[in-house]
Amino acid sequence: MTEEEVRQKLVSLRIEHRDLDHAIVALSNGGTPDMLQLARLKKRKLMLRDQIAILEDYLIPDIIA
């Protein structure tokens, strides 16, 4: 995977993460929320956050001081 492909993947993951955040808020505010669906959305959001962190670490190498 090239650096440009990683950057494009990061953009798409961030968009999906943001969209999930909006969906979670909308579901929470809509009367009696479906707790199972809410839990699934939150779990997916956490998985996306982990994937984003992995790709960001790939782009920003560790510098040993």
Side-chain angles (χ1 to χ4, degrees), residues 27 33-43:
L27 188 60
D34 180 0
M35 297 309 284
L36 182 59
Q37 182 67 21
L38 196 57
R40 287 180 179 154
L41 291 175
K42 287 181 178 183
K43 185 175 182 179

Side-chain angles (χ1 to χ4, degrees), residues 22-36:
H22 293 301
I24 289 169
V25 169
L27 188 60
S28 296
N29 293 338
T32 54
D34 180 0
M35 297 309 284
L36 182 59

Side-chain angles (χ1 to χ4, degrees), residues 1-64:
M1 193 181 266
T2 67
E3 186 174 323
E4 184 59 34
E5 291 171 335
V6 171
R7 290 185 191 281
Q8 290 175 353
K9 180 72 174 174
L10 263 174
V11 169
S12 68
L13 289 175
R14 287 182 179 139
I15 290 170
E16 186 177 353
H17 187 268
R18 185 190 63 228
D19 291 344
L20 278 174
D21 194 35
H22 293 301
I24 289 169
V25 169
L27 188 60
S28 296
N29 293 338
T32 54
D34 180 0
M35 297 309 284
L36 182 59
Q37 182 67 21
L38 196 57
R40 287 180 179 154
L41 291 175
K42 287 181 178 183
K43 185 175 182 179
R44 175 70 180 149
K45 186 177 168 191
L46 288 173
M47 287 177 22
L48 287 173
R49 187 190 69 192
D50 291 342
Q51 290 176 350
I52 289 169
I54 290 168
L55 291 177
E56 286 175 341
D57 287 344
Y58 174 79
L59 289 176
I60 305 170
D62 292 337
I63 299 173
I64 301 173

